Amino acid sequence: NDMIQIPEGLLRRNEERQELLKKKEENARPSQAEAFKTAFKEKHSEIDEALNSCHHLEGDRNKIAERLNEISRELNILSKFLSASSLFLVAYDVKIFTKSIQQLHDKMTDVEAALLPKKKFGFSSRIDKKKENKKTEDEIDATEKKCSPRIPISRATNSCGFTSRTDEELSLPHAEVYNKDVLLSNLNSCTVFIRGTPNTIHVVSSSKCKVLCGPVATSVMVHTCTDSTFSIACQQLRVHNTLDCDFYIHVTTKAIIEDSHRVRFAPYNFYYPDLDIHFGLSGLKTDRNNWQDIDDFNWLVSNKQSPNWSLIPMEERIKY
């Protein structure tokens, strides 16, 4: 009844053979990173070609607007694809792919400016009497040129928000913002509550404001803002040309700053009764928050933190 003893050497050779077969199978399949790079390159080329094709529609504003809205949706999908793949990509590749997406955004903005130019507003003679208190049209244009890079703002009807408000408390409930693009522009000394799940948020040219928002399904872009506080949860946060602002964030990829100074960061701090439900609707992962992993595109020194951002000291952090 003694059991047959298999020689140890034979067992070891069998294990080695199995391990070799496993490695051959793994090498035969492209890695997740390689598969992502191939798919990203294909989608990037498709979007780039779609942008080039807009010039063939010159003169047909409706078709151009439809094409740009479709491209905007494809860019959002590509951003989500990158966000979901960031787990198996190295940080350098994430930065490169993020920059590629931003370049497409910038190109879309240029196409929109060329083919769908905004109408300029004229100034009446009555305004001329008070021109010492007003900026001239040339001054406004010069100021706008300093705000680089420009942030593309979708013209889709699927949008809502506030513009040109001063010293007000503003609110958007879930029913109004769900899966929509929210635009907040030219706000001064306002507090904005967004208790819901938007698709994107753009905050432009605002100062001395508080923006408290529930989970955003994709990206938040803050451009040309000063002396403001933001509480935001999103996949990706991009901050451009912004000064002296505090950000309380839950971000599942990275926060990116560019041409910004004296911006500070801390963990997300906004709570309201349906927050957990809205996190579920947004698809954001609650167990992943890279709130202190900030990428400054103007700072190229790898072994030293950028002087343009810092963490908010514990004793200065606010709870909402």
Side-chain angles (χ1 to χ4, degrees):
N1 294 329
D2 291 340
M3 294 182 64
I4 298 174
Q5 298 293 322
I6 299 176
E8 186 177 339
L10 185 61
L11 283 173
R12 188 164 53 252
R13 283 196 298 276
N14 183 59
E15 288 175 358
E16 290 172 352
R17 185 166 60 252
Q18 293 297 328
E19 187 65 26
L20 183 62
L21 288 172
K22 185 178 178 181
K23 287 182 178 179
K24 284 182 178 180
E25 288 180 4
E26 290 175 350
N27 291 334
R29 298 193 307 266
S31 69
Q32 286 180 302
E34 289 170 344
F36 169 83
K37 290 176 182 178
T38 300
F40 184 95
K41 185 177 180 180
E42 290 176 357
K43 179 56 69 174
H44 186 283
S45 296
E46 287 177 13
I47 294 173
D48 192 49
E49 289 174 8
L51 284 168
N52 292 334
S53 71
C54 289
H55 292 281
H56 301 305
L57 303 173
E58 190 169 1
D60 192 332
R61 294 180 66 89
N62 290 334
K63 286 187 177 180
I64 293 169
E66 288 176 7
R67 181 70 56 84
L68 289 174
N69 285 335
E70 179 60 32
I71 291 170
S72 180
R73 285 191 288 272
E74 291 298 319
L75 279 171
N76 278 335
I77 291 171
L78 191 60
S79 293
K80 286 183 178 180
F81 183 35
L82 174 58
S83 175
S85 306
S86 60
L87 283 174
F88 54 78
L89 294 172
V90 297
Y92 177 78
D93 283 344
V94 172
K95 184 173 182 176
I96 294 299
F97 291 128
T98 300
K99 197 160 189 177
S100 294
I101 292 174
Q102 181 59 31
Q103 287 170 348
L104 288 175
H105 273 299
D106 292 342
K107 184 172 181 177
M108 185 174 73
T109 303
D110 292 338
V111 171
E112 185 177 20
L115 302 181
L116 295 175
K118 295 178 182 179
K119 292 181 180 180
K120 291 188 176 181
F121 294 95
F123 289 87
S124 69
S125 58
R126 286 174 296 176
I127 295 178
D128 290 339
K129 296 177 183 178
K130 299 181 180 179
K131 67 180 181 180
E132 66 274 8
N133 296 323
K134 301 287 185 180
K135 286 186 176 181
T136 65
E137 192 170 4
D138 288 340
E139 286 172 333
I140 292 171
D141 289 342
T143 300
E144 289 176 348
K145 287 175 183 176
K146 291 178 182 177
C147 302
S148 177
R150 291 165 291 174
I151 295 296
I153 298 173
S154 174
R155 296 174 181 269
T157 56
N158 186 36
S159 62
C160 59
F162 302 103
T163 187
S164 300
R165 302 291 191 92
T166 299
D167 199 20
E168 293 186 52
E169 183 174 299
L170 308 167
S171 182
L172 289 170
H174 178 69
E176 289 186 31
V177 302
Y178 179 57
N179 206 30
K180 291 186 178 180
D181 299 325
V182 176
L183 171 61
L184 307 174
S185 66
N186 297 303
L187 305 182
N188 183 39
S189 301
C190 290
T191 298
V192 184
F193 294 96
I194 303 175
R195 297 180 179 91
T197 311
N199 181 48
T200 64
I201 293 182
H202 295 166
V203 189
V204 183
S205 301
S206 297
S207 65
K208 299 179 182 177
C209 291
K210 292 180 181 178
V211 178
L212 312 177
C213 184
V216 180
T218 58
S219 62
V220 174
M221 298 188 183
V222 177
H223 196 292
T224 322
C225 293
T226 58
D227 298 308
S228 296
T229 300
F230 301 87
S231 185
I232 293 168
C234 58
Q235 279 192 8
Q236 183 186 77
L237 171 66
R238 300 186 69 92
V239 180
H240 295 274
N241 201 35
T242 290
L243 303 174
D244 299 307
C245 288
D246 285 349
F247 293 86
Y248 294 84
I249 59 173
H250 182 107
V251 59
T252 55
T253 56
K254 272 189 176 185
I256 295 170
I257 67 171
E258 191 168 10
D259 299 322
S260 298
H261 304 280
R262 299 185 300 279
V263 290
R264 306 191 303 170
F265 295 87
Y268 185 60
N269 63 346
F270 183 40
Y271 178 81
Y272 56 96
D274 292 328
L275 180 63
D276 291 341
I277 296 172
H278 293 164
F279 257 110
L281 290 172
S282 71
L284 297 181
K285 294 185 177 181
T286 56
D287 59 348
R288 190 199 310 171
N289 185 7
N290 300 319
W291 66 271
Q292 56 185 337
D293 191 2
I294 315 300
D295 200 352
D296 184 353
F297 277 8
N298 295 109
W299 186 253
L300 303 179
V301 182
S302 59
N303 60 350
K304 188 177 179 181
Q305 182 183 305
S306 161
N308 298 319
W309 68 272
S310 62
L311 303 182
I312 303 174
M314 288 291 295
E315 63 273 14
E316 294 183 29
R317 295 178 186 178
I318 303 169
K319 290 185 178 180
Y320 294 109

